[in-house]
Amino acid sequence: MHNRSLFLPLWLLLCPLAMRAQEIVEKLPDAPQLQAQAQQRTPPLNSATANSPNSLTPDSTEETLTRQQAEQLALKNNPRISVAALLALAQKQVVRETRSALLPKLNGNLTAVDAEESSRISAGSLEASRLLYRVGAGVDLNQLITDFGRTRNLVASSSYEAKASQQQSQATREDIVLAADIAFYNALEAQATLQVAKSTVKARQAVGDQVNALTASKLKSTLDQSFAQVNLSQAKLLDLDSQNQFDAAMAGLNEVLGTASNQQYQLVDDPSPPLPVAPSADAVIALALQQRPDLLALKLTHDADVRFSRAQHEQLLPTISGLGTVGITPVGSSTYFTPDWYGAAGINIGIPIFEGFKFHAQAAEAELRAKASDEQSRALINRIVRDVRTAWLRANTAQQRTSVTAELLQEANTALDLADTRYRLGLSSIVELSQAQLQQTQAQIAEANARFDYEADLAALRFQSGSQP
């Protein structure tokens, strides 16, 4: 009876307090509700749709940009594309320059001389010494008949160089496409991380407000309040770092797109799922060895070196040319210019006898350079095989990471729900809730990183195989 008499007043004292606490707790939204409210303006990133940047509502002041649009802008505006195209056009002109040696050379001359009649030059080089007063005009013709293939080999060498330059231009285009893809996915990854950070700040702020209200009502300790503030500060630091990384990634994207302005874009990922990785690296390697433009360019350069080496050896052979000249002399002494016109035709055979071993050295140099370019082709083949295999391994691993990080995010969301429930029921401390929140944030970032890393690795694999658009 005595115990009951003590229990009754105590129960009457605690019952209103408990009912009041229950009313406060019921009025305060729980953590998932707070997170949902905080993310009304920003879709939840732990959902399947929110993880894709194209699910975000674009800012009306920002231009949307897809990967395909980024590639087109880079190919249009990047100065490296113009440089490569201009160099390819310049190399084509070298072919015309070399081929001109096969065509006739026609020169016109107009000469007027006022001299001491019949005087002679007595110093200088060996030439016609007599000086005559005259005015004349004429045309000279010089046509290469044969140099036993040297000029044709030079033309062939320059033609191979022009084709190699075209392949180098294509290789530059593929380099720019890869750079645009990598910069785009880096910026897209930074954008997703920034979105996670901002969502985390809002969610931690909401939880902090809840804990502050419970602490003011004496339902939670100041320790819980301190932990909530620490979590909020960590989220703000993550937001600052993410914003800096996003701005830096956007600056890198603008550089690849060929603009110096600080253009801001709302990046939109392709809604369709990425293609799976090829089942074997050997097929990708075979494709790369067939169509990599840098390898094709090096092979063409080797062919050019071989034809140039032949041309250098043929310097030792004679050169046969046809010569012709015709003209008139309207003014001049009739003693020396009996008819008022002149004309002649002939054949000249140039035979190299001794040039101080210059031709032999040039031929040996060209032959050695041709062998060196062949070895360079072999070295590039080995490097391509290594790069393709490495890119295939990275893409294959990244593909597996996407599924693992998706499972990790799902488990982190479940763990946060359980930790929140246990905390609201008073079965755990805020330390457990804070750990669950941190794990969810890390899982969200890891899931976004894994997805965009996989797409970037696929772009690198396309580049290594020579399959860029």
Side-chain angles (χ1 to χ4, degrees):
M1 291 294 295
H2 181 68
N3 293 336
R4 291 182 179 180
S5 63
L6 291 176
F7 176 74
L8 182 59
L10 182 62
W11 182 82
L12 293 175
L13 179 64
L14 293 178
C15 185
L17 183 59
M19 294 178 63
R20 179 59 178 166
Q22 181 66 25
E23 291 176 359
I24 294 175
V25 172
E26 290 178 353
K27 290 180 180 180
L28 292 173
D30 55 18
Q33 292 173 342
L34 288 170
Q35 189 169 3
Q37 293 173 2
Q39 296 176 349
Q40 284 179 354
R41 296 180 181 178
T42 304
L45 291 178
N46 58 345
S47 66
T49 57
N51 281 332
S52 176
N54 58 3
S55 65
L56 305 176
T57 302
D59 191 342
S60 59
T61 62
E62 295 180 350
E63 181 182 354
T64 60
L65 184 70
T66 64
R67 178 180 64 85
Q68 291 80 3
Q69 291 172 339
E71 292 174 354
Q72 293 172 2
L73 286 175
L75 292 175
K76 178 182 178 182
N77 299 328
N78 195 289
R80 288 180 56 194
I81 298 295
S82 301
V83 170
L86 291 172
L87 290 177
L89 292 175
Q91 191 60 42
K92 289 184 179 180
Q93 300 306 312
V94 176
V95 179
R96 296 182 61 189
E97 294 171 12
T98 310
R99 188 180 289 115
S100 65
L102 298 174
L103 302 178
K105 297 176 181 61
L106 193 62
N107 298 315
N109 300 301
L110 180 62
T111 305
V113 177
D114 185 11
E116 184 67 26
E117 190 74 7
S118 299
S119 62
R120 295 180 180 275
I121 298 174
S122 60
S125 59
L126 297 177
E127 57 186 8
S129 62
R130 180 172 294 181
L131 297 178
L132 300 174
Y133 167 77
R134 68 190 184 278
V135 174
V139 176
D140 297 333
L141 176 66
N142 190 335
Q143 170 65 58
L144 175 66
I145 297 177
T146 181
D147 56 2
F148 298 94
R150 182 173 188 272
T151 300
R152 295 192 179 278
N153 279 321
L154 290 175
V155 172
S157 177
S158 59
S159 297
Y160 282 124
E161 289 287 357
K163 294 178 181 178
S165 184
Q166 289 179 341
Q167 292 297 327
Q168 290 290 358
S169 177
Q170 179 62 29
T172 301
R173 291 176 61 87
E174 295 194 4
D175 285 341
I176 295 302
V177 170
L178 175 63
D181 289 347
I182 297 299
F184 177 83
Y185 286 123
N186 286 342
L188 195 59
E189 182 177 318
Q191 177 180 272
T193 302
L194 178 61
Q195 190 64 32
V196 171
K198 292 186 177 300
S199 175
T200 301
V201 170
K202 293 179 181 179
R204 299 282 175 87
Q205 182 67 59
V207 173
D209 294 341
Q210 180 186 16
V211 174
N212 290 338
L214 293 174
T215 303
S217 302
K218 307 301 182 182
L219 297 178
K220 293 295 181 182
S221 67
T222 56
L223 178 62
D224 294 66
Q225 188 178 25
S226 298
F227 268 105
Q229 291 301 319
V230 169
N231 293 339
L232 178 59
S233 298
Q234 290 176 340
K236 290 181 179 179
L237 288 175
L238 176 62
D239 184 30
L240 290 175
D241 293 339
S242 300
Q243 183 66 55
N244 178 67
Q245 293 175 0
F246 174 72
D247 293 339
M250 193 61 65
L253 178 60
N254 283 323
E255 188 272 335
V256 176
L257 297 183
T259 176
S261 62
N262 188 24
Q263 178 67 41
Q264 297 297 310
Y265 297 99
Q266 181 67 33
L267 305 180
V268 180
D269 192 17
D270 189 354
S272 60
L275 297 175
V277 182
S280 173
D282 295 334
V284 184
I285 291 174
L287 185 63
L289 296 180
Q290 291 179 0
Q291 59 186 25
R292 275 280 292 263
D294 51 347
L295 180 58
L296 296 177
L298 197 53
K299 290 180 177 179
L300 289 169
T301 300
H302 171 65
D303 294 337
D305 291 341
V306 170
R307 299 301 290 268
F308 184 73
S309 175
R310 294 178 186 174
Q312 293 296 77
H313 280 87
E314 290 164 349
Q315 288 186 108
L316 300 172
L317 300 177
T319 300
I320 303 176
S321 302
L323 307 174
T325 183
V326 64
I328 60 174
T329 310
V331 177
S333 173
S334 59
T335 304
Y336 300 102
F337 301 99
T338 303
D340 59 355
W341 69 276
Y342 65 92
I347 294 178
N348 182 70
I349 301 177
I351 303 175
I353 298 176
F354 183 71
E355 292 285 342
F357 303 106
K358 176 183 176 181
F359 294 162
H360 291 84
Q362 289 178 340
E365 176 194 358
E367 185 175 358
L368 292 172
R369 292 188 181 278
K371 292 180 179 179
S373 63
D374 186 37
E375 292 299 314
Q376 289 176 345
S377 298
R378 289 180 54 201
L380 181 57
I381 289 174
N382 295 335
R383 189 163 62 249
I384 288 175
V385 171
R386 179 205 63 189
D387 292 344
V388 171
R389 197 175 300 277
T390 302
W392 182 86
L393 290 173
R394 284 199 303 265
N396 191 51
T397 302
Q399 184 180 17
Q400 298 174 14
R401 284 177 60 87
T402 55
S403 58
V404 174
T405 52
E407 294 176 1
L408 174 64
L409 179 58
Q410 183 179 1
E411 295 297 331
N413 291 334
T414 302
L416 178 59
D417 292 339
L418 294 176
D420 175 71
T421 302
R422 284 172 54 83
Y423 179 70
R424 288 190 293 107
L425 294 176
L427 300 178
S428 64
S429 67
I430 196 173
V431 177
E432 181 179 306
L433 178 61
S434 300
Q435 184 67 24
Q437 290 175 335
L438 177 61
Q439 289 177 347
Q440 186 202 42
T441 301
Q442 292 175 340
Q444 288 174 338
I445 295 176
E447 193 273 339
N449 292 350
R451 185 157 37 86
F452 298 130
D453 286 345
Y454 175 49
E455 296 191 33
D457 289 337
L458 283 180
L461 184 58
R462 289 195 299 269
F463 168 78
Q464 295 295 343
S465 64
S467 302
Q468 288 282 27

